Structures are given as C-alpha cells and as structure tokens.
Amino acid sequence: MFKSPNQVQTMLVPAGLLMAALVLGAGYVQAEQGTGYYGYGQTATPEQIAGWDIDVRPDGLGLPEGSGTAEDGEWVYEEKCASCHGSFGEGVDGYPSLVGGEGTLSGDGRPHKTIGSYWNYTSTVFDYINRAMPYTAPRSLEPDEVYSLTAYLLFMNYIIDDETFELNQDTLATVRLPNEPNFIPDERPDTANTRCMTDCRDPAAIEIKSQATPSLADELAAEAAETAETVEPPAQLAVVGKSVYDQSCMLCHGSGLAGAPKVGDVAQWQGRVAVGSATLYKHAIEGYQGEAGVMPAKGGFMNLSDDEVKAAVDYMVQESQ
Amino acid sequence: MNKQAELDSLLQQVAVSGEKLTGTDRRDFLRKGLTFLGAATATAAAGHMPTVKAALPPEEPAYGKTLGKPVLFAPYGSPSKYESHVQRRTVEWLTPDRISSISFTPLADLKGIITPSGVMFERYHAGLPDVKPQEHHLMIHGMVERPIILSMDDLMRFPSVSKIHFVECPANGGMEWRGAQMNRLQFSHGMIGCAEWTGVLLSTLLEEVGVKPEGKWILAEGADGSHMSRSIPLEKALDDTLVVYAQNGEMLRPEQGYPVRLVNPGWEGNTSIKWLRRLEVGDQPWYHREETSKYTDLMPDGRSREFTFVQECNSVVTNPCPEKPMMKPGKVWVEGLAWSGRGKIKHVDVSFDGGVTWREAKFTSEVFPRALTRFGLEWDWQGQPAMIQSRAIDETGFVQPTYGQLRAARGENSIYHKNAIHTWKVNADGSVVNVQIS
C-alpha cells in the first residue's frame, strides 16, 4: 500500500529529528523537505530527466521536436541501415527484413513479421530506431533523421504513399498500421490437461512424429577435443586480443560486413599481412580508406587503448593464416 | 556391450599392458592411455568419470603423496579444471551474430536448484556492456511525487531482501513448436536459470518516490546499447518485483546485468531488464518493440496475444537426457526440474511408457514459489527401450499440457511459451534422443 502524502509527512518528523541530532556529531546532511522516507539519492531535475526520457508512446507522448519525410529518409537509410537491412528492406545475412509479409500471419506457412505486416503502432518504429539503431551506433541519430527514417519505412511498406509527407510530433501518431486491430490480451491458461495416472492412453497408438538429429556423439567428441586443447591457458596477449576482437571487431570482421576482411579468410588477409604489422596497426588505430571499405579509427571504439587495438590486430592476423 | 563396460574393459587393457613396462615408460604409457580414455569417456558420456584402477585401493593416488597448492593460489576460485565441459553454449543459426544473441544453461550437468552464476544463460540485445558501478545511476520518474536519481551506493542503503526465483526466456523450447529439433537438453530447455537474488523490493522504491494515483504502468529501461525496454503493470511492480544487485551471494555478474537489474519473479525473462537505468511511471503501456514486434504470441487465426507475461508450469527430465545416456542396466535415479510462474510446484509425475502410466516423483529440493524444483524417482532399467516424460502440476492445479493440447490452442507459430510435456526416447544401447510422439 502507498502512503498518502500526509502519512509521509508524519513519518518524516521523527526521521528529521534523528537526522538533526546526527548532523551535530557526524556532519550528515538533513533530508530536504519533499524527499521520501529514506531521503536517499538526489532529486532528478527536469534537465536530467529530459536527457534519458527517450520513450515514445502510441499516442505520440514523448516525441521530440523535429520532422522528416520519406524523401529525406532514403539517403539516411542507404548510408546507415542498408548494409544490414538491405537496400529494399529485404534483410541481409539474417538481419531483419523490414518490408513485406502481408497475409502471412494466418495459415500454415511461415509468418513473415515486418512493420507493414505485424507491428501495431507507428510510434514503436520511431522509438526503436531512436533507442537502439543503427545497431553498431545506437543513440547517434538526430530527431530529424529518426523522423525521416520512420517516414521512409512507412513509405517502403506502402503505409504512406507521399514521399513528401512530413512526419513530426503532431502527425506521427495519426499514421496507423494495418495489424493494430489484431492484438488481443493474454488468454492463458488455455489448456486443460488432467492428472491421469493409469491407462491414460492406448499404447498401440503411440507413434514417433518427429526426432532430433542424433549427431550428439560427434559433437561431444569435437567439444572434448577442443576442451583438451584449451586446458593450457593461452598467452596473455592472445587473451586480450581475442576479448577486444569479440567485443569490438567481430561484428564486421567476423562477417565481412562493410567490406571488412573476414577473419579466417587467408586469401583476404595474405596481402595485408605482407605489408607488415606496423602498417596494420597504424590503419587500425588511425583509420583507413581502402578499396573495399572503410576502417574507422579503432573501429569507432575510441575507448580502446592503442595496445588493445594492436592485440586485436595480432589476434586477427594469427587467426587468418 | 554397454558403454560403461566398454570403458572398464579398455581401462583394464591399459592397466594390464602397463604392467609389462617399467619406470618412465610405464608412467608415460599410463598417462597417454588415460588421456586417450578421458577423451573416449567424454565422447561416450560427457561428465561420467571412468573408474581409474590406479587410484583404487590399495594404491595411493599421487595427490596423496605430495603437497598441494598454497592458500590464495586462486583468490577468487574457479570450478575444477576437470569440469571444463560444463559450459554455456549457443546455437549459431539462431541469430546472425553473437552480439544480439543467446546462450544456454548446461542443465544436464547442474545439481540442486541454484544455477551457478557463471553458466546461467545469457541474452543480449546489443552485446554485453562494460558498466562501471561508480558511473551507473537509476532514475525513477514520471507520475511520481518525487523523481529521484540513485547511485549504486544510494540503492544499496535501502532495506534488502533475498529471494530464490527462476528467470526464463519465453523463447525457451521455442525451436520445438514444429517438431523435435534440438539434440540436447541444453538447447531444448536451457534458456533458464534459478538463483538467489538480493536487492530492494520495487515497492519500497515506489513508496519512496510516491506514485501518483493515475500511475498504472512502469517502463523499465536498460543502459546498454539496446536500451531494452518493457512495460510492466503497477500491480506486479508492487507485488514482488525486485531491483537486484546481487546473485548467489556476490554482486551480479556482468552477463546478468551488473550492477543492477530487475527481476520479475515468474515472468518472461526479458521483463527482468538488465543494466537497469530508468523506471518511469505512466498511465498506459508504451508498446515498445520488445512487447509488440517480439514477445507477442501469434495464434493460428492471425491474431496475436500481447503482454503474455507469465511463464506457465513446465518440467523436464535431466537424467537421463541426450547428454547423460544410460550407462548400465540396473537401478537408475531418474531426476529433473519443474517450475511454474504462478507459484509452487505441487506434484511431478513421470512416465516411462510415453504417457500410458505415471508415477509420482519425490521432491529432492526445497520447494519455493516461482523457483526451479528438483524431483527424482527410482527406475529399474533392464535395457528396454522407453519413452520418459515428466508432467508438473502447480499449486493453482494447472497440469502441464501435452503437445497436442498446446498446438490445438495455439498452433505452431507462436514461438514463445512452449511448455509441453517433453519426451526422451531411451534406446536399447542406452542413448537418449529428443522425440515428439503422437
């Protein structure tokens, strides 16, 4: 149960007296009027709240100032989204597709859930891009970019047909998505099994309908071999290099995203290894414009020390020979 | 010949051959032989120890004839190196990369009901962030009288509680909706862990900030790159939601949300936001991506259930299972885990004949609400093929459903909340396979 404001006030009196007594001896700061029972922490100011309060609701509450159109959004999309989601929103290498799927939600086939076929509110598109996209650089977009990307995705999904329609604080919530009426509350429990103990079914009618691939023995053998190899701890440098690689480099160098040479691809690395470690370190630390793609300085992870970047380069070279 | 007998025989051969050698040669031979057998054992049945004749009485094992390591050899200890096969594992094809992905708890090798923090399943939506506790803050605002920002030190001054609860991803077992697919327990049921969670009741914090009468929902948000967010009804927040900073007696592991996370007992794991930075009180839900596009349950008629929070009653046999095949005929202690998001487990029944007859199992652990509960019963296995199932009943009287019942209600496309009675087929050679039966 909540205490009413009056109750809180009465509780504060003895606490306040106690605090006042402590102030003399130990220098505690007395809880200010208007704090809670414990008075811990600091009051959140409107400016502080505004910095983190990024959420947007279906009715548009929380949308920032700004605006954008599908026309503007196409350029932002090509630059910042298409490498994973595809130029036509089709999705690349397992990353989500953003368009299509109409009519696939019911029936026997595989449902294809996209903004156009499945999502229920336009606000969710804005909120999600603004909170978590682009995948490798969340919270990096300006409000106008988020509005224009949202407009472009609505346009790609045939939700709006005017490339110059301006999405903003007032118009965004007026654009409704087709699947909105098809969400229903939780209906569980929706099964009613009973606790039968004997003669619960006809043994003759039991039939195996499906079975997992029984390749377990091979997998366990491979893992046992791998575990045996890793009993000796690898050198410290390799540990650092692998850890930096896993956290900061793997996304592009593991998959070959954005033209990055793929770790383990000997052919791709041969020429690079030949130019020598010093050059590789320099390119990795300072950034480099190559023929196939761009290596941002430290991969964009400026919090990494030069030594950590070098260790990651060594690790990638070692894994690619 | 069954696997244990096969191994015993191999060991016997090694021991006998070794007798003919002397000194260094013999030690070398034994060492190599045992290494080979160690690998063979792991192949046959990961985790089962071979009976090493040299360590049997009257022989003295080597570690009884030398000094061991000093104290503080490992100021923060690790599991024995001989347990290195007990690891989280992932299924690579599930996600396009490992940054936004999931790994699974190795249930087959775990004991009791507490999941060791180091092998509890991971779920990240934007990778594992490196959060410095001195920099981390929790802001509580919205429809409240007194919006506040708490440092970790501030948060840890509040009265604390410790509770044992499971956290389960609603996609646990989701790959099995269309048919048996995953060939081990770790992958069929491993998106779950159970721990002692220590922190502050969210109700304590909400009382501190004073929720305004119009407040009905809470938005919880993470500090990681995904800023993972979920809307939670105020009723739950005031009931048993915990703002947690410790797990199993130590500060949270980074993988579990260090330095602070939410735990919503019995609810979809994704509502237990990790690296928690913000709680906002509002008068309606936010309908964010992870409660609309994802974590909604598609029904055969094309409609989708939203806010399906509760993880319903479920259970699985953990021994035997594909990773723990039958070793030799005789008395076998069959055991497993049961859990329910609606409260305590009341009964668990086990069938060895595909559900024709059932026997009630014993509880071999404490029984806590919304926690893993361990059950076991004795079985006399004489090498006959069998179909082992477990069926849990919770304190609301809900009986875990069959696949048939679940599909009749929800079809095959709902991804989440698959809690059907699971079948392990035991073959005559002792191997165990994941199957679904009519």
Side-chain angles (χ1 to χ4, degrees):
Chain A
M1 282 297 292
F2 285 117
K3 294 180 182 69
S4 72
N6 284 343
Q7 282 174 303
V8 172
Q9 287 305 319
T10 46
M11 292 173 75
L12 272 175
V13 174
L17 286 174
L18 179 67
M19 294 290 268
L22 287 170
V23 166
L24 300 172
Y28 286 115
V29 179
Q30 186 179 347
E32 284 172 25
Q33 281 293 318
T35 61
Y37 175 74
Y38 296 100
Y40 304 154
Q42 51 178 297
T43 300
T45 66
E47 294 72 31
Q48 288 175 319
I49 293 171
W52 280 10
D53 185 5
I54 56 174
D55 52 80
V56 179
R57 259 178 14 183
D59 60 5
L61 188 76
L63 282 169
E65 283 181 24
S67 66
T69 64
E71 212 169 24
D72 307 329
E74 183 174 357
W75 301 102
V76 186
Y77 182 89
E78 268 303 323
E79 187 190 346
K80 300 188 173 180
C81 317
S83 63
C84 290
H85 295 293
S87 285
F88 305 98
E90 74 277 18
V92 176
D93 292 340
Y95 289 96
S97 68
L98 305 178
V99 299
E102 291 79 6
T104 65
L105 299 185
S106 55
D108 291 337
R110 295 225 173 221
H112 182 199
K113 297 176 180 175
T114 71
I115 294 165
S117 70
Y118 193 70
W119 292 36
N120 33 2
Y121 296 108
T122 304
S123 63
T124 313
V125 183
F126 185 100
D127 179 90
Y128 185 65
I129 296 171
N130 186 47
R131 106 177 15 257
M133 290 289 116
Y135 185 38
T136 55
R139 305 288 298 123
S140 65
L141 299 173
E142 296 299 325
D144 284 357
E145 292 178 296
V146 184
Y147 276 113
S148 57
L149 282 171
T150 306
Y152 185 58
L153 290 170
L154 294 171
F155 180 80
M156 283 208 287
N157 276 288
Y158 307 106
I159 308 293
I160 57 175
D161 54 12
D162 179 358
E163 278 184 278
T164 62
F165 176 76
E166 186 182 292
L167 220 52
N168 58 38
Q169 270 176 315
D170 299 321
T171 61
L172 187 136
T174 66
V175 182
R176 311 299 279 261
L177 300 181
N179 201 41
E180 181 187 332
N182 294 324
F183 284 84
I184 55 174
D186 192 356
E187 296 167 310
R188 299 172 303 158
D190 58 352
T191 56
N193 199 3
T194 51
R195 197 181 173 215
C196 169
M197 299 304 281
T198 52
D199 296 326
C200 301
R201 55 178 308 183
D202 175 10
I206 296 176
E207 188 191 334
I208 292 178
K209 304 295 275 185
S210 59
Q211 178 165 337
T213 318
S215 62
L216 188 63
D218 298 341
E219 280 179 37
L220 290 176
E223 267 160 26
E226 200 175 297
T227 312
E229 277 173 27
T230 53
V231 166
E232 288 299 317
Q236 191 61 27
L237 184 71
V239 173
V240 173
K242 182 179 185 325
S243 131
V244 172
Y245 169 78
D246 284 349
Q247 203 172 339
S248 306
C249 319
M250 184 166 70
L251 190 65
C252 293
H253 286 282
S255 62
L257 202 65
K262 203 170 159 179
V263 167
D265 186 328
V266 178
Q268 279 192 34
W269 280 87
Q270 248 166 6
R272 292 175 167 89
V273 172
V275 302
S277 295
T279 309
L280 286 182
Y281 292 156
K282 190 173 184 310
H283 288 172
I285 292 167
E286 295 171 10
Y288 178 67
Q289 171 72 60
E291 279 168 30
V294 183
M295 170 69 200
K298 295 186 177 176
F301 295 92
M302 298 312 288
N303 57 324
L304 294 175
S305 71
D306 288 1
D307 284 342
E308 285 172 319
V309 177
K310 287 178 186 174
V313 171
D314 290 344
Y315 174 76
M316 287 189 270
V317 168
Q318 175 200 310
E319 293 296 307
S320 307
Q321 294 190 344
Chain B
M1 195 173 349
N2 69 44
K3 289 183 169 63
Q4 185 63 53
E6 203 173 301
L7 286 171
D8 286 347
S9 150
L10 274 166
L11 279 160
Q12 189 61 40
Q13 288 170 36
V14 170
V16 169
S17 312
E19 294 295 335
K20 295 170 191 157
L21 304 166
T22 52
T24 319
D25 288 342
R26 179 158 177 263
R27 283 194 295 278
D28 197 39
F29 177 86
L30 275 173
R31 188 163 52 76
K32 281 177 183 157
L34 289 175
T35 307
F36 160 72
L37 281 168
T41 311
T43 306
H48 286 268
M49 289 291 193
T51 316
V52 182
K53 297 276 181 188
L56 275 177
E59 299 299 322
E60 272 285 348
Y63 47 83
K65 294 178 171 179
T66 57
L67 288 178
K69 296 185 175 82
V71 297
L72 294 187
F73 173 76
Y76 202 127
S78 307
S80 163
K81 64 183 175 186
Y82 306 111
E83 297 298 321
S84 62
H85 59 283
V86 184
Q87 292 180 355
R88 291 187 285 233
R89 292 184 176 85
T90 189
V91 176
E92 300 288 355
W93 54 261
L94 277 179
T95 54
D97 62 56
R98 285 189 176 188
I99 309 280
S100 178
S101 191
I102 190 155
S103 70
F104 298 76
T105 307
L107 293 178
D109 284 298
L110 302 186
K111 313 298 177 194
I113 59 171
I114 299 294
T115 307
S117 305
V119 290
M120 181 149 170
F121 79 103
E122 305 158 281
R123 176 72 175 106
Y124 312 139
H125 290 82
L128 171 58
D130 177 13
V131 182
K132 293 185 180 65
Q134 298 84 352
E135 288 177 6
H136 190 76
H137 291 87
L138 171 61
M139 183 164 85
I140 310 176
H141 70 110
M143 289 177 167
V144 301
E145 301 291 345
R146 297 170 290 277
I148 57 172
I149 296 173
L150 299 172
S151 67
M152 285 308 297
D153 285 344
D154 295 331
L155 179 67
M156 290 166 73
R157 290 171 73 191
F158 283 93
S160 72
V161 294
S162 297
K163 299 274 184 181
I164 293 176
H165 290 301
F166 72 80
V167 171
E168 182 184 23
C169 176
N172 198 13
M175 295 89 88
E176 307 280 300
W177 271 108
R178 285 165 178 266
Q181 176 164 228
M182 308 316 296
N183 60 0
R184 35 167 109 185
L185 169 64
Q186 183 161 16
F187 299 146
S188 68
H189 288 81
M191 296 184 193
I192 192 170
C194 182
E196 183 201 62
W197 306 102
T198 298
V200 184
L201 276 167
L202 179 51
S203 59
T204 302
L205 299 179
L206 292 176
E207 211 167 291
E208 178 76 3
V209 296
V211 173
K212 291 181 177 174
E214 57 270 36
K216 294 285 180 282
W217 287 78
I218 308 271
L219 183 77
E221 181 182 273
D224 62 307
S226 76
H227 301 90
M228 176 79 188
S229 56
R230 286 291 319 243
S231 306
I232 296 152
L234 188 66
E235 200 183 3
K236 176 71 174 179
L238 293 178
D239 178 17
D240 59 359
T241 302
L242 297 164
V243 176
V244 163
Y245 45 76
Q247 176 180 358
N248 297 336
E250 61 179 1
M251 288 299 282
L252 284 169
R253 296 284 174 101
E255 299 95 314
Q256 301 305 327
Y258 180 84
V260 58
R261 74 176 298 172
L262 220 53
V263 168
N264 280 306
W267 279 22
E268 308 194 308
N270 61 79
T271 66
S272 293
I273 300 290
K274 299 194 281 190
W275 316 290
L276 182 71
R277 76 161 187 175
R278 194 162 71 90
L279 294 165
E280 179 176 355
V281 179
D283 59 356
Q284 47 182 280
W286 281 261
Y287 287 98
H288 282 171
R289 193 246 194 183
E290 313 297 346
E291 53 201 17
T292 55
S293 164
K294 307 292 175 187
Y295 307 115
T296 46
D297 306 26
L298 180 60
M299 296 295 119
D301 64 2
R303 296 189 303 166
S304 295
R305 295 177 184 167
E306 61 187 21
F307 300 120
T308 45
F309 291 122
V310 173
Q311 293 295 107
E312 288 192 304
C313 187
N314 201 348
S315 71
V316 69
V317 169
T318 59
N319 183 51
C321 68
E323 298 101 307
K324 300 287 176 197
M326 305 296 285
M327 295 304 285
K328 53 171 86 168
K331 302 270 190 296
V332 180
W333 186 248
V334 171
E335 61 174 31
L337 294 165
W339 61 97
S340 169
R342 292 205 178 92
K344 288 183 182 177
I345 292 295
K346 194 83 177 169
H347 309 281
V348 179
D349 305 318
V350 174
S351 173
F352 296 97
D353 55 13
V356 179
T357 54
W358 295 82
R359 281 166 55 200
E360 181 158 9
K362 293 176 191 164
F363 294 133
T364 59
S365 71
E366 297 290 331
V367 182
F368 298 115
R370 299 171 185 87
L372 289 184
T373 301
R374 193 168 282 267
F375 62 85
L377 81 173
E378 195 175 286
W379 182 39
D380 198 3
W381 184 64
Q382 294 305 330
Q384 73 276 26
M387 295 206 199
I388 306 188
Q389 302 180 322
S390 65
R391 177 182 70 191
I393 295 109
D394 70 17
E395 63 180 334
T396 70
F398 177 88
V399 182
Q400 190 184 345
T402 64
Y403 267 107
Q405 289 164 340
L406 208 54
R407 290 192 180 115
R410 304 184 204 162
E412 295 182 345
N413 281 332
S414 53
I415 301 175
Y416 308 105
H417 300 296
K418 191 235 71 184
N419 64 327
I421 291 171
H422 188 79
T423 309
W424 297 127
K425 178 169 178 273
V426 177
N427 296 315
D429 68 356
S431 62
V432 178
V433 184
N434 172 14
V435 300
Q436 289 184 17
I437 58 175
S438 53

